[in-house]
Amino acid sequence: MPKKNMTLFLQKIVKIIENLSEQQYEMILTDRATLKYEAFETDPIIYINLKNHIEKQAKSLKDLKNSLKMTLKSKKEYLLFCNYLKIPIKSKDSIETLIKKMAAHFDIKESNEGNEQKTEDHGGNEQNLLGELHLISETLQKFDNVQEGKNFITNHKLLSLKKDIILFAKTIDVPVNSKLSKKDLVNRIVESVVGSKVRSMVLRGEKTN
């Protein structure tokens, strides 16, 4: 394999490791799990074009839905597109929930005009909350210091209660035990998000322990 290709390949491997949760990292490290090769079912260029189209054309939730319907034909395709966008999702999410998460990702607000006025208030509140949690997730991923990440989560006004932290953990697919203390929940989340990033940086030689 040419040296340039080897470098690109190793960069992709490091990226995979960076995205592992603390639990996934430990499972692989102790030979209780493995990484698996899986080819894309959809040409990534389709996702690139759809993403560009949404960013340029979708100004409302209705626009977003129409853009998605033109390309995505099943729930599986919605899930795959969310994975491409690196949006935290769960396999049990409905298409409507996935669309709301994408709306938050693209910062598309729900219109109050026309038929969308029929949306119930709690539906709008749910979308706003998902949007806020997604922004918190994006900010947390920028930290490369575990303690700073813990301080950020601990002091965030939307994560002041234990139930809020548990909801945030579920949103970003970090498995937690509801019996854990608030402090332990924060530690688990930050170790899964920031800790995995730091370990990846150490492997690349960009950071020392």
Side-chain angles (χ1 to χ4, degrees), residues 41-74:
E41 295 186 16
T42 305
D43 189 341
I45 193 65
I46 294 176
Y47 294 149
I48 294 173
N49 291 338
L50 177 56
K51 178 176 178 287
N52 291 338
H53 176 79
I54 292 172
E55 291 175 339
K56 293 177 181 178
Q57 304 295 332
K59 306 300 181 184
S60 68
L61 188 60
K62 183 178 180 181
D63 292 339
L64 175 62
K65 289 180 178 180
N66 289 337
S67 297
L68 294 171
K69 285 180 180 178
M70 287 191 300
T71 304
L72 310 179
K73 307 303 180 184
S74 66

Side-chain angles (χ1 to χ4, degrees), residues 82-95:
C82 283
N83 284 331
Y84 167 77
L85 296 173
K86 300 189 184 306
I87 296 175
I89 57 172
K90 292 177 280 190
S91 58
K92 65 180 180 181
D93 284 343
S94 66
I95 288 180

Side-chain angles (χ1 to χ4, degrees), residues 26-38:
E26 292 297 330
M27 292 284 283
I28 293 173
L29 199 62
T30 55
D31 294 326
R32 289 178 290 164
T34 186
L35 295 173
K36 183 180 72 171
Y37 166 83
E38 185 174 355

Side-chain angles (χ1 to χ4, degrees), residues 134-149:
H134 182 67
L135 290 175
I136 294 173
S137 172
E138 289 188 337
T139 301
L140 181 61
Q141 291 174 32
K142 295 177 182 178
F143 285 95
D144 58 8
N145 180 285
V146 172
Q147 187 56 52
E148 291 178 1

Side-chain angles (χ1 to χ4, degrees), residues 3 25 65 78-80 133 160 162 169 174 188 193 205:
K3 184 176 181 180
Y25 183 83
K65 289 180 178 180
Y78 278 80
L79 290 168
L80 290 171
L133 293 179
S160 59
K162 181 178 175 180
V174 174
R188 180 65 182 275
V193 178

Side-chain angles (χ1 to χ4, degrees), residues 163-198:
K163 66 180 182 66
D164 299 327
I165 297 175
I166 292 174
L167 176 60
F168 177 57
K170 290 180 179 179
T171 302
I172 60 175
D173 279 342
V174 174
V176 294
N177 187 330
S178 60
K179 295 181 180 179
L180 293 175
S181 66
K182 180 180 174 181
K183 180 179 179 180
D184 288 340
L185 288 169
V186 171
N187 289 343
R188 180 65 182 275
I189 291 171
V190 177
E191 283 295 337
S192 294
V193 178
V194 182
S196 62
K197 178 181 178 181
V198 171

